[in-house]
Amino acid sequence: MKDKLWFNEDISEIANRLGTDIVNGLTDEQYKNKLAEFGYNELKEKDKSTILEKFLNQFKDFMIIILIIAAVVSGIVSMSEGEGLTDSIIILCIVIVNAVIGVVQEVKAENSLEALKKMSGYSATVIRDGKTEIVATKELVPGDIVILETGEIVPADIRIIESINLKSQEASLTGESVPVDKSINVIDDTEIAIGDRINMLFSSSTISYGRGKGIVVETGMNTQVGKIADMLDNADSGDTPLQKKLDALGKILGIGALTICAIIFVVGLIYGKEIIHMFMSAVSLAVAAIPEGLPAIATIALAIGVQRMVKRNAIVRKLPSVETLGCATVICSDKTGTLTQNKMSVVRMFYNNHMYRLTEVEKNEGFNKILKTGILCNESKIILENDIRNIVGDPTETILVELGFDYGMSKIEYNTKHERIGEVPFESERKLMSTINVDVFSNFVHTKGAVDELLKICKYIEIDGDIKEITQEDKDKILNCNESMAVNALRVLGFAYKPINELPEKVESSTIEKDLIFIGMVGMIDPPRPEVKAAVAKCKEAGIKTVMITGDHLTTAVAIAKRLGILEEGGRAILGNELEKMSDEELKNCVKEISVYARVSPEHKVRIVKAWQANGDIVAMTGDGVNDAPSLKTSNIGCAMGITGTDVSKEAADVVLTDDNFSTIVSAVEEGRRIYDNILKAIQFLISSNIGEIISLFTVIMATPLIAKAFGIENLGLIEALLPIHILWVNLVTDSLPALALSVEPAEANIMQRKPNTDTKHVFTKGMIWRIIYQGIMIATLTLIAFTIGLNITTGTDEERMMVAQTMAFGVLAISQITHSFNLKSNVYSIFKTGILNNKALILAAFVSLGLMLIVLQIPALEEIFSVSALSIQEILIVAGLSLMPLVIVEIFKKLKINTLGEKNIYTNVNKKY
């Protein structure tokens, strides 16, 4: 909805439209009527889903649905045959644990509006019925007359009707770090950014200077903050790349499992087997096809990654966001407080006709006079609490006070020693401020302000202690230095003074701001964070583009962007009003060319994010203000600042950077890539292992007549190499533990020197498909060899021979997968280069899995439960030898570079030395 153009209307027109009196305010009756019409000045919240709804939503995943069906069918078949429900219970337990983990994470999220509503928990000073009173901000209505003083939070959107040196800090709403000068004048332009509506005050901003009065024009959800709240409420967070890929994988595996089940069921019926028995066989194959532990392993892997990221100063609020960072191709960053320090810093000084860096200044009379004028002609307040000094006021003034303290010039002492006896407050029209202060032999006028305006009232200049009449040459040099600082995004203040023996009858600009002595200039900036330039360069090396989006002025934004390496040759920088004129399609087509956006609104930020996403990019958005919240939520991953960030931005974000350090994002990207790589390793390990199980089962079942004939087996019916309980045990124990351990595998070499993975639809690359197939066939072949040897070398009844063969197949399947897990440490490098022992979790998982497997195979009490037979020494040696073969085979494939067939070399930029 288009904003009402309150800034275009005259004060009297607004008062008439809202039925208020600018002197006496609303009457009690008017207030009650308006409260009934507009409601309380608070933000509305949409209904949230209940815990039960969140829990049920966890079961919408296709793979989870197939698992539940398998558990139910398995239970029905088991009960019909008078057996227990062990298989079904185990599957359902996995599904429920995964759902609980998901719910716990969701409960911590979606609190953006709660944070916004905290802004309504304070009071406001209003005039009603001609009386001044203090009311809760929620009780404000359109038409109320509000009085505002320095330090107060603006309680609603307000049209200013009285301004006395009024300035508002709107960084959290617009992104502009410098407070905005306010006035009462009507603005003629109808299409201007929020930050340029100087006759308006906006809810949640802060009065940083002066005082004023205004008419409340919008409350609650109709304020600019309310519009942001509404955008947050309706923003689509979207699925993460991993969620999309796992959903697609689940569908592929589920459909594959159902297909295999149908084939086996039909084949069994052809062989004349009982329907119930064929159901059980089909379910065992479904269990083999679907890696039951995958959803839980992916969730747990992300949770472990979250804990690691906490140590790297990043708090992850939503689990899947971890891997999304690793896939990020674009980082859209707010400037103020994210790329910069959100604090003014003096970097240049001009005095004695010479420009100095602050680190090179000569502390002489000229330097001292600039600081003296800067300290005395200054409205900052110093608050001491528990011996801690806090300087409150306009940032351009507080930095001068801080600089004075740094050089032994205390404002507290100077205010006492040089009492202020007169002043001409700052006005945006004059761009100057002057004070008259007592000194030892005479009173002095101290003036500061815009250099070009200051020079108009200066008759003299002081150089090295000598005062002379200022020449045009002097002025040209001063203006050139002023311009050079402005081009480099410095905010420049000029300083002048003069002695004055007697106070004029009327202290005003015309009486004291003339014939001044120019002493110098100070150039200050909200400086870039020192670590950001290196972080931006590292992002570029990793194939990630950094884009600056700010509410600040274009000149400032461009200068900072060039300094940080964000804006390079050929890059574009545009204003918000230029963006406003573009259609979504036009923005989509040119978004990759634009590196800097200035004077933008929250809606613009969301459009920019969506334009990148429309090009298939995965967008990370950083920010700290209220204005960043919608884009933080719309982006694939939102990163809020933990120290300077507002509660709103933190609650809307996926990740909170606890040190407000842009370089932490780079560390988080690296961690995200490591986790994503490791989840893919776990998927490859699990799927290749499960394919080995499927081929083993499918081959033996389909070849039942041939096997029976070849080995002289009679009256056993359908032959199975593995029983359902074997499959469940392997999937839940000897598969899941190593897969989980792979999730904490150290990052591979130069992980940040390859391009991001932008495929949001598919888990499988051609190379990964090849590895899964050949490694699955490898495991199946070894398992079938063990099964065949077992039938061949064992004597006894057919039942005894079959049990030994199944036990050997079970042992080789399980233990070969344990050894195979070490192959997954790298798809490129030999484990002897990556290091066998550098992942203690994998070593532990291998020993635990192997130990549990040996317990099942060697303890007599478990033989009946698992339908296994005690093996001879010869049979044990055969199982051990076959189980070690995956290491040998995959090492040969790596050496011959067959392991990555069909896959583009993602290590193009990687140093060949590991």
Side-chain angles (χ1 to χ4, degrees), residues 696-720:
S696 302
L697 279 167
F698 195 72
T699 301
V700 172
I701 289 173
M702 297 298 288
T704 290
L706 296 175
I707 295 171
K709 184 177 180 180
F711 294 99
I713 297 172
E714 299 177 359
N715 303 320
L716 286 184
L718 201 66
I719 296 174
E720 296 173 295

Side-chain angles (χ1 to χ4, degrees), residues 214-225:
I215 305 173
V216 173
V217 291
E218 301 286 3
T219 58
M221 295 300 288
N222 292 324
T223 62
Q224 292 299 323
V225 167

Side-chain angles (χ1 to χ4, degrees), residues 696 721-722 726 730 779-794 800-816 853 857 866-883:
S696 302
L722 298 160
H726 297 163
V730 170
I779 290 170
T781 302
L782 295 171
T783 303
L784 291 172
I785 289 172
F787 181 74
T788 304
I789 292 173
L791 286 176
N792 193 46
I793 67 173
T794 308
E800 290 172 343
R801 292 170 62 202
M802 183 59 65
M803 185 171 285
V804 169
Q806 288 174 337
T807 302
M808 290 182 69
F810 178 35
V812 169
L813 178 69
I815 300 172
S816 67
M853 194 62 207
L857 293 176
F866 284 89
S867 298
V868 293
S869 173
L871 301 179
S872 66
I873 296 297
Q874 180 190 16
E875 291 160 351
I876 290 173
L877 290 174
I878 292 170
V879 169
L882 290 171
S883 298

Side-chain angles (χ1 to χ4, degrees), residues 267-287:
V267 169
L269 292 181
I270 292 172
Y271 277 107
K273 300 301 178 184
E274 294 180 8
I275 293 178
I276 292 178
H277 181 81
M278 290 318 303
F279 259 124
M280 194 62 191
S281 297
V283 167
S284 68
L285 266 177
V287 170

Side-chain angles (χ1 to χ4, degrees), residues 148-296:
L148 291 160
E149 301 279 351
T150 301
E152 291 183 349
I153 296 175
V154 179
D157 284 4
I158 293 171
R159 172 67 160 85
I160 301 167
I161 61 174
E162 181 181 299
S163 173
I164 302 171
N165 308 318
L166 190 64
K167 293 185 182 183
S168 174
Q169 174 59 269
E170 298 172 353
S172 67
L173 190 65
T174 66
E176 183 174 356
S177 57
V178 178
V180 181
D181 293 317
K182 296 295 181 176
S183 76
I184 65 172
N185 299 330
V186 174
I187 298 171
D188 295 326
D189 193 347
T190 58
E191 295 184 2
I192 59 171
I194 291 173
D196 294 323
R197 299 174 189 177
I198 59 173
N199 58 11
M200 296 287 296
L201 292 169
F202 300 103
S203 178
S204 84
S205 57
T206 306
I207 303 302
S208 62
Y209 194 89
R211 62 185 186 275
K213 189 186 296 183
I215 305 173
V216 173
V217 291
E218 301 286 3
T219 58
M221 295 300 288
N222 292 324
T223 62
Q224 292 299 323
V225 167
K227 290 181 174 65
I228 292 174
D230 188 54
M231 290 169 64
L232 278 176
D233 229 11
N234 295 300
D236 180 13
S237 298
D239 288 338
T240 70
L242 184 64
Q243 286 172 324
K244 293 176 182 177
K245 290 176 180 180
L246 288 181
D247 285 346
L249 176 61
K251 290 176 182 177
I252 292 170
L253 294 176
I255 292 169
L258 292 176
T259 303
I260 293 170
C261 288
I263 293 172
I264 293 299
F265 184 72
V266 171
V267 169
L269 292 181
I270 292 172
Y271 277 107
K273 300 301 178 184
E274 294 180 8
I275 293 178
I276 292 178
H277 181 81
M278 290 318 303
F279 259 124
M280 194 62 191
S281 297
V283 167
S284 68
L285 266 177
V287 170
I290 298 176
E292 292 87 348
L294 181 56

